[in-house]
Amino acid sequence: MISGTPARLIFEDCHFESYTSGSTFKAVSIATGVDRFVTFKNCMFTAVQNISSAVAPTGAIGITTMNGQVYMVNPYVYGYSQIVTADNAYVQVLGLNGLATGHLIGIAQGVDAA
C-alpha cells in the first residue's frame, strides 16, 4: 500500500510476488493522496499459480484516483486477470510483454515446457 501524500515515487527493477487465495488481492494499492507520479520501471508483478488454493487476483494494481499518473515502464505481469481491475486512465503501461487482445492486454501467458 502506497499511502499518505508521497510525491514522485520510483520503483526500479523490483519484484512483487504473491501467493493468495483471495481474488481481490492487489500487489500494490495506490492511495488517493499520492501526488505527481508513481513509476514502476522494469518491475515484475507475479501471482503464483498451480499451487493448492492459489487463484488469479482480479488486478495487480488497486487504484481509484490520485493527483497524477502511475507509469509502468516495461512491466512483466503474470498470474493476474488484469493489470488494473477496471479501466483506469491514471495507469499508463509503456512497453509491455504479453498478449495484445481483449482483457488480457499486457498479461504474460505461460506455456508448458514439454
Side-chain angles (χ1 to χ4, degrees):
M1 172 69 162
I2 300 174
S3 60
T5 56
R8 301 177 217 44
L9 297 173
I10 298 174
F11 295 88
E12 190 168 355
D13 298 324
C14 51
H15 187 174
F16 299 92
E17 179 75 36
S18 67
Y19 164 56
T20 183
S21 60
S23 63
T24 60
F25 171 83
K26 303 291 181 255
V28 176
S29 293
I30 310 290
T32 301
V34 176
D35 197 26
R36 304 293 194 273
F37 64 83
V38 178
T39 298
F40 296 99
K41 183 177 179 186
N42 300 321
C43 292
M44 296 175 62
F45 298 81
T46 55
V48 175
Q49 301 299 302
N50 301 321
I51 297 176
S52 296
S53 73
V55 300
T58 54
I61 295 180
I63 183 173
T64 53
T65 184
M66 67 175 285
N67 189 35
Q69 294 282 163
V70 173
Y71 300 109
M72 297 180 74
V73 181
N74 298 319
Y76 176 80
V77 183
Y78 176 77
Y80 289 89
S81 297
Q82 298 183 64
I83 293 174
V84 181
T85 304
D87 288 344
N88 193 304
Y90 292 100
V91 179
Q92 300 296 311
V93 181
L94 311 166
L96 51 88
N97 300 301
L99 296 180
T101 59
H103 73 284
L104 294 174
I105 291 174
I107 305 295
Q109 301 299 302
V111 177
D112 291 340

